[in-house]
């Protein structure tokens, strides 16, 4: 199971450049803003969603300054009705707790069941800020490296435009 220390070791072993910031536990984007760490353009808001039947699960990675309308999102992605997945599903599929949702949670998805939709606005940025599977730290790494981690793990990945 990839927790905070395992993520740090994983990034070091893969020779992925990163910045690591320890901070108090944060549960919302507003609490992240209060920390005053970096530009909010670099911070990812991560939504763990499911389809209406609960058969498919999705991790939506969008810029923190964007709003996610679940109805519009489901239509745009061709999925239909979306809703937030339960804490039990979050634990089951990504091994994460509420408030610590992160694309790095994909490393805990042993069944490779979670589909990832990644905001194209992160592409071309120098770094993206995400939790290292716990909400008491933030890790900043190049978006291309994060995308490669997801691809290498085998999860379905699509880069999309979120307005």
């Amino acid at each position: 199971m990839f927790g905070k220390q395992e993520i740090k070791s994983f990034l070091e072993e893969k020779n992925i450049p990163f910045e690591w910031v320890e901070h108090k536990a944060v549960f919302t984007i507003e609490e992240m803003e209060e920390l005053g760490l970096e530009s909010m353009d670099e911070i990812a808001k991560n939504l763990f969603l499911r389809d209406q039947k609960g058969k498919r699960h999705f991790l939506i990675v969008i810029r923190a300054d964007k709003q996610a309308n679940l109805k519009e999102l489901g239509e745009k992605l061709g999925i239909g009705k979306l809703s937030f997945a339960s804490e039990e599903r979050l634990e089951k599929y990504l091994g994460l707790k509420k408030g610590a949702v992160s694309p790095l949670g994909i490393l805990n998805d042993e069944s490779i069941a979670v589909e990832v939709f990644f905001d194209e606005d992160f592409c071309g940025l120098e770094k993206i800020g995400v939790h290292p599977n716990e909400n008491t730290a933030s890790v900043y790494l190049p978006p291309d490296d994060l995308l490669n981690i997801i691809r290498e793990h085998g999860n379905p990945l699509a880069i999309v435009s979120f307005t």
Side-chain angles (χ1 to χ4, degrees), residues 3 20 56 67 75 84 94 103 111 116 124 127 139 141 143 157-158:
W20 192 276
R56 293 173 67 193
Q67 294 297 317
E75 289 171 4
F84 284 96
L94 297 179
S111 60
V116 181
K127 57 189 172 180
V139 60
L141 65 159
L157 171 66

Side-chain angles (χ1 to χ4, degrees), residues 2-130:
F2 282 82
K4 191 161 71 169
Q5 291 310 314
E6 291 81 7
I7 291 294
K8 187 180 258 188
S9 297
F10 175 84
L11 295 174
E12 289 169 346
E13 288 167 16
K14 292 273 191 183
N15 291 316
I16 294 173
F18 66 90
E19 296 170 44
W20 192 276
V21 180
E22 295 282 340
H23 52 69
K24 68 176 184 164
V26 291
F27 295 89
T28 65
I29 290 298
E30 291 74 24
E31 289 177 2
M32 280 295 297
E33 287 175 357
E34 289 170 12
L35 295 176
L37 294 176
E38 291 287 338
S39 162
M40 291 308 287
D41 291 350
E42 299 169 345
I43 301 292
K45 180 185 332 187
N46 303 283
L47 310 173
F48 186 57
L49 308 173
R50 66 180 192 89
D51 68 358
Q52 190 168 7
K53 294 182 179 178
K55 301 279 187 219
R56 293 173 67 193
H57 294 83
F58 310 94
L59 180 62
I60 310 298
V61 182
I62 65 173
R63 272 192 6 210
D65 61 346
K66 293 186 178 183
Q67 294 297 317
N69 178 313
L70 295 189
K71 183 177 184 206
E72 288 176 13
L73 192 57
E75 289 171 4
K76 177 180 180 154
L77 300 175
I79 299 165
K81 188 175 180 193
L82 290 172
S83 60
F84 284 96
S86 66
E87 290 183 52
E88 291 78 21
R89 288 176 189 257
L90 178 60
E91 176 78 34
K92 175 182 176 182
Y93 288 97
L94 297 179
L96 301 175
K97 302 281 186 206
K98 184 178 174 184
V101 181
S102 168
L104 293 169
I106 289 301
L107 295 171
N108 292 326
D109 181 13
E110 294 174 5
S111 60
I112 308 177
V114 178
E115 301 170 48
V116 181
F117 290 96
F118 193 85
D119 190 338
E120 72 177 1
D121 284 355
F122 286 122
C123 300
L125 289 181
E126 198 173 301
K127 57 189 172 180
I128 180 175
V130 298

